[in-house]
Amino acid sequence: SYVLTQPPSVSVAPGETARITCGGNNIGRQTVHWYQQKPGQAPVVVIYYDNDRPAGIPERLSGSKSANTATLTISRVEAGDEADYFCQLWDSDTDHYVFGSGTKVTVL
Amino acid sequence: QVQLVQSGAEVKKPGASVRISCRSSGYSFSSFHIHWVRQAPGHGLEWMARINPSDDTTTYAQNLQGRVIVASDTSTRTVYMELSSLRSEDTAIYYCVRSKDIVTYFDLWGRGTLVTVYS
């Protein structure tokens, strides 16, 4: 089955840039979505179709991909960005949905 | 208001079954797929199942085949998920989630239902 690998944690100072990676075999050929989850809340999509933002999501959040890595970039990090972030895709080979293990972003 | 409203928390013994409901409102019920995604305490997200309410076709995660059943009731705009032969590892928050079609993202989440399995 398809596996998405994320670092467990990323720490960043306010105003700096956080980069959250999501590794997967040939992920560059897949469509990747990103979710933010704050404590006690359900996840919310923050990036869909690799680099589109839903209404209300600031331009500071962006997505990108290379051959085997997708990246969520949070520029000018704010305290409110502190959350868990999950990448996700649909695996057409199995018709299953795969989530990364999640990355906890801590704002120092 | 566009939302998914889930049933309340459940406590079950090992070996029992649990049935969770997810009632939709504010959008065309048959135009979106409904999925179930669970999250064990302190862990990540796990996709479990999908149903298309327009024709009741279902797809289940391979590791849960035989233990999970999802059904929809168009008259009440409600989707149900039943998980049987419960184990302690099934203790989790269960979310119902919406997507426009099979390949796209999850754009609407319920608040989640906590299921606790212990003896």
Side-chain angles (χ1 to χ4, degrees):
Chain A
S1 61
Y2 199 90
V3 175
L4 294 174
T5 302
Q6 297 183 238
S9 62
V10 167
S11 297
V12 59
E16 298 298 308
T17 298
R19 293 180 179 84
I20 304 159
T21 58
C22 174
N25 186 38
N26 288 324
I27 197 172
R29 299 182 181 181
Q30 306 279 2
T31 300
V32 179
H33 316 296
W34 290 91
Y35 302 86
Q36 176 194 70
Q37 185 179 34
K38 295 186 175 180
Q41 298 182 18
V44 173
V45 62
V46 292
I47 294 289
Y48 61 92
Y49 295 146
D50 300 330
N51 193 25
D52 286 339
R53 279 182 307 277
I57 301 301
E59 293 183 6
R60 301 184 297 103
L61 278 69
S62 63
S64 61
K65 287 188 314 184
S66 64
N68 292 299
T69 302
T71 301
L72 173 67
T73 300
I74 309 174
S75 304
R76 303 182 298 283
V77 166
E78 303 173 356
D81 298 324
E82 194 162 274
D84 293 325
Y85 293 83
F86 297 90
C87 56
Q88 177 259 318
L89 56 76
W90 174 67
D91 181 2
S92 60
D93 289 340
T94 60
D95 191 15
H96 279 32
Y97 301 80
V98 182
F99 287 94
S101 49
T103 299
K104 181 176 182 60
V105 170
T106 300
V107 181
L108 301 172
Chain B
Q1 184 180 2
V2 179
Q3 60 182 350
L4 299 171
V5 179
Q6 299 185 223
S7 50
E10 301 267 8
V11 178
K12 296 290 183 181
K13 292 189 180 300
S17 298
V18 67
R19 189 187 194 215
I20 305 170
S21 66
C22 170
R23 179 172 50 85
S24 71
S25 63
Y27 70 92
S28 175
F29 178 65
S30 298
S31 296
F32 291 80
H33 292 76
I34 293 291
H35 307 253
W36 291 91
V37 174
R38 69 179 179 179
Q39 185 172 34
H43 285 73
L45 301 166
E46 178 189 14
W47 176 80
M48 302 175 63
R50 178 187 74 218
I51 187 166
N52 181 351
S54 68
D55 60 11
D56 286 334
T57 55
T58 54
T59 302
Y60 300 115
Q62 189 170 10
N63 66 323
L64 292 171
Q65 284 273 6
R67 286 212 299 141
V68 63
I69 297 175
V70 177
S72 71
D73 183 341
T74 302
S75 67
T76 60
R77 305 169 58 90
T78 302
V79 173
Y80 300 91
M81 188 280 293
E82 181 169 349
L83 185 62
S84 59
S85 303
L86 290 170
R87 313 157 183 164
S88 58
E89 311 90 88
D90 294 317
T91 293
I93 296 174
Y94 289 75
Y95 294 101
C96 65
V97 189
R98 187 185 80 167
S99 72
K100 181 57 178 171
D101 54 44
I102 288 175
V103 306
T104 191
Y105 58 98
F106 303 130
D107 70 338
L108 181 67
W109 295 65
R111 290 192 172 187
T113 297
L114 176 62
V115 174
T116 304
V117 182
Y118 84 111
S119 54

